[in-house]
């Protein structure tokens, strides 16, 4: 099970920062941003190998389930 930032969203945000810098903005003047999109990924194969049972309610909330 993993809960972390959405990588695709992070790449898009980074591209926006690079664009602003290339257009002349000073990096020190740009605000620090926190991630806003997170993904929950559950690996059922690993959970089964560890003898863990993942509740259906948690599976329903997962963004990705690896079987």
């Amino acid at each position: 099970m993993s809960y972390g930032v959405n990588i695709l969203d992070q790449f898009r945000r980074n591209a926006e920062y690079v664009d602003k810098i290339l257009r002349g903005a000073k990096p020190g003047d740009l605000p620090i941003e926190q991630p806003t999109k997170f993904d929950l990924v559950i690996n059922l194969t690993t959970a089964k190998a560890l003898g863990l049972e993942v509740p259906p309610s948690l599976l329903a909330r997962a963004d990705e389930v690896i079987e």
Side-chain angles (χ1 to χ4, degrees), residues 28-40:
D29 294 340
L30 295 175
I32 296 173
E33 293 186 12
Q34 296 285 335
T36 57
K37 279 186 158 181
F38 295 89
D39 287 339
L40 174 63

Side-chain angles (χ1 to χ4, degrees), residues 4-65:
V5 298
N6 181 298
I7 298 297
L8 185 58
D9 186 55
Q10 279 302 114
F11 285 142
R12 286 184 182 136
R13 291 173 150 252
N14 292 342
E16 290 175 12
Y17 260 58
V18 170
D19 181 55
K20 289 177 184 177
I21 292 169
L22 292 176
R23 292 179 187 261
K26 293 181 183 177
D29 294 340
L30 295 175
I32 296 173
E33 293 186 12
Q34 296 285 335
T36 57
K37 279 186 158 181
F38 295 89
D39 287 339
L40 174 63
V41 179
I42 299 173
N43 188 328
L44 287 178
T45 306
T46 303
K48 187 181 247 184
L50 293 172
L52 301 174
E53 185 177 326
V54 181
S57 60
L58 190 58
L59 289 172
R61 290 183 176 187
D63 296 299
E64 182 180 350
V65 176

